[in-house]
Short mmCIF file of all heavy atoms in Angstrom, two decimals:
data_model
loop_
_atom_site.label_atom_id
_atom_site.label_comp_id
_atom_site.label_asym_id
_atom_site.label_seq_id
_atom_site.Cartn_x
_atom_site.Cartn_y
_atom_site.Cartn_z
N GLU A 43 40.13 47.14 4.83
CA GLU A 43 39.81 45.76 5.06
C GLU A 43 38.44 45.41 4.55
O GLU A 43 37.49 45.08 5.29
CB GLU A 43 39.94 45.46 6.57
CG GLU A 43 41.39 45.57 7.09
CD GLU A 43 41.52 45.22 8.57
OE1 GLU A 43 40.52 44.70 9.14
OE2 GLU A 43 42.57 45.44 9.15
N LEU A 120 27.73 40.09 -33.05
CA LEU A 120 27.57 38.82 -32.32
C LEU A 120 26.28 38.73 -31.54
O LEU A 120 25.80 37.63 -31.26
CB LEU A 120 28.77 38.68 -31.36
CG LEU A 120 30.13 38.40 -32.01
CD1 LEU A 120 31.25 38.60 -30.95
CD2 LEU A 120 30.19 37.03 -32.63
N VAL A 126 26.30 50.55 -28.47
CA VAL A 126 27.02 50.18 -27.24
C VAL A 126 27.55 51.47 -26.55
O VAL A 126 27.97 52.40 -27.20
CB VAL A 126 28.24 49.30 -27.64
CG1 VAL A 126 28.90 48.73 -26.36
CG2 VAL A 126 27.84 48.16 -28.55
N PHE A 128 30.42 52.18 -23.57
CA PHE A 128 31.52 51.49 -22.85
C PHE A 128 31.85 52.23 -21.55
O PHE A 128 31.82 53.47 -21.46
CB PHE A 128 32.77 51.45 -23.74
CG PHE A 128 32.65 50.51 -24.94
CD1 PHE A 128 32.49 51.06 -26.21
CD2 PHE A 128 32.66 49.14 -24.75
CE1 PHE A 128 32.40 50.20 -27.30
CE2 PHE A 128 32.56 48.26 -25.82
CZ PHE A 128 32.44 48.81 -27.11
N VAL A 152 6.31 58.85 -17.27
CA VAL A 152 6.30 58.16 -15.99
C VAL A 152 7.09 59.00 -14.99
O VAL A 152 8.32 59.14 -15.13
CB VAL A 152 6.90 56.72 -16.09
CG1 VAL A 152 6.79 56.01 -14.75
CG2 VAL A 152 6.11 55.92 -17.15
N VAL A 156 9.88 52.60 -12.25
CA VAL A 156 10.24 51.49 -11.36
C VAL A 156 10.85 50.36 -12.26
O VAL A 156 10.29 50.06 -13.36
CB VAL A 156 9.02 50.94 -10.60
CG1 VAL A 156 9.27 49.60 -9.93
CG2 VAL A 156 8.57 51.95 -9.61
N ALA A 185 21.83 51.90 3.84
CA ALA A 185 20.60 52.68 3.73
C ALA A 185 20.92 54.15 4.10
O ALA A 185 21.86 54.43 4.85
CB ALA A 185 19.53 52.12 4.71
N PRO A 188 18.49 54.11 -3.00
CA PRO A 188 17.62 54.77 -3.99
C PRO A 188 16.28 54.04 -4.12
O PRO A 188 16.24 52.82 -4.01
CB PRO A 188 18.45 54.69 -5.29
CG PRO A 188 19.86 54.45 -4.83
CD PRO A 188 19.80 53.69 -3.58
N ALA A 218 20.67 36.15 -16.79
CA ALA A 218 20.23 34.98 -17.55
C ALA A 218 20.43 33.68 -16.71
O ALA A 218 19.64 32.73 -16.79
CB ALA A 218 21.03 34.87 -18.82
N VAL A 252 27.01 39.98 -17.32
CA VAL A 252 28.35 40.31 -16.83
C VAL A 252 29.14 39.06 -16.56
O VAL A 252 30.33 38.92 -16.95
CB VAL A 252 28.29 41.24 -15.57
CG1 VAL A 252 29.63 41.33 -14.92
CG2 VAL A 252 27.75 42.61 -15.96
N LEU A 256 29.84 36.10 -23.32
CA LEU A 256 31.14 35.80 -24.03
C LEU A 256 31.54 34.32 -23.85
O LEU A 256 32.57 34.02 -23.28
CB LEU A 256 32.22 36.78 -23.61
CG LEU A 256 31.87 38.26 -23.96
CD1 LEU A 256 32.78 39.20 -23.26
CD2 LEU A 256 31.92 38.46 -25.46
N GLU A 295 15.82 51.36 -30.94
CA GLU A 295 14.73 52.13 -30.37
C GLU A 295 15.08 52.74 -28.97
O GLU A 295 14.52 53.81 -28.63
CB GLU A 295 13.47 51.31 -30.27
CG GLU A 295 12.96 50.77 -31.60
CD GLU A 295 13.75 49.57 -32.16
OE1 GLU A 295 14.61 49.08 -31.39
OE2 GLU A 295 13.50 49.19 -33.32
N THR A 301 21.26 60.97 -24.68
CA THR A 301 21.77 61.93 -25.67
C THR A 301 23.04 62.62 -25.15
O THR A 301 23.35 62.47 -23.94
CB THR A 301 20.67 63.00 -25.95
OG1 THR A 301 20.25 63.59 -24.67
CG2 THR A 301 19.45 62.40 -26.61
N ARG A 317 41.37 47.58 -27.44
CA ARG A 317 42.31 46.70 -28.18
C ARG A 317 42.34 45.31 -27.46
O ARG A 317 42.31 44.29 -28.15
CB ARG A 317 43.67 47.30 -28.22
CG ARG A 317 44.77 46.44 -28.86
CD ARG A 317 44.74 46.53 -30.34
NE ARG A 317 45.75 45.68 -30.93
CZ ARG A 317 47.06 46.05 -31.15
NH1 ARG A 317 47.41 47.32 -30.89
NH2 ARG A 317 47.90 45.22 -31.75
N ALA A 340 29.68 20.17 -20.36
CA ALA A 340 28.85 18.95 -20.24
C ALA A 340 29.63 17.77 -19.75
O ALA A 340 29.14 17.01 -18.92
CB ALA A 340 28.24 18.63 -21.64
N LEU A 370 25.53 22.08 -1.52
CA LEU A 370 25.56 21.11 -0.42
C LEU A 370 24.49 21.48 0.60
O LEU A 370 23.92 22.58 0.63
CB LEU A 370 26.98 21.17 0.24
CG LEU A 370 28.13 20.85 -0.68
CD1 LEU A 370 29.41 20.83 0.13
CD2 LEU A 370 27.94 19.61 -1.51
N VAL A 396 29.38 25.46 -4.12
CA VAL A 396 30.72 25.50 -4.74
C VAL A 396 30.52 25.98 -6.16
O VAL A 396 29.80 25.31 -6.90
CB VAL A 396 31.42 24.18 -4.66
CG1 VAL A 396 32.77 24.24 -5.33
CG2 VAL A 396 31.55 23.67 -3.22
N LEU A 398 32.20 26.84 -9.86
CA LEU A 398 33.32 26.61 -10.78
C LEU A 398 33.16 27.49 -12.01
O LEU A 398 32.10 27.41 -12.66
CB LEU A 398 33.42 25.13 -11.18
CG LEU A 398 33.62 24.15 -10.03
CD1 LEU A 398 33.66 22.74 -10.61
CD2 LEU A 398 34.89 24.43 -9.21
N ASP A 422 35.23 14.21 1.56
CA ASP A 422 35.86 14.34 2.87
C ASP A 422 35.07 15.31 3.71
O ASP A 422 34.86 15.10 4.94
CB ASP A 422 37.30 14.85 2.70
CG ASP A 422 38.24 13.78 2.19
OD1 ASP A 422 37.84 12.62 2.14
OD2 ASP A 422 39.33 14.12 1.75
N SER A 429 29.41 13.24 10.41
CA SER A 429 29.84 12.25 11.46
C SER A 429 29.59 12.80 12.89
O SER A 429 29.28 13.96 13.11
CB SER A 429 31.33 11.96 11.25
OG SER A 429 32.11 13.16 11.48
#
Side-chain angles (χ1 to χ4, degrees):
E43 295 182 10
L120 291 167
V126 187
F128 290 107
V152 181
V156 170
V252 169
L256 298 166
E295 297 78 8
T301 54
R317 178 80 181 273
L370 305 185
V396 178
L398 301 178
D422 289 344
S429 62

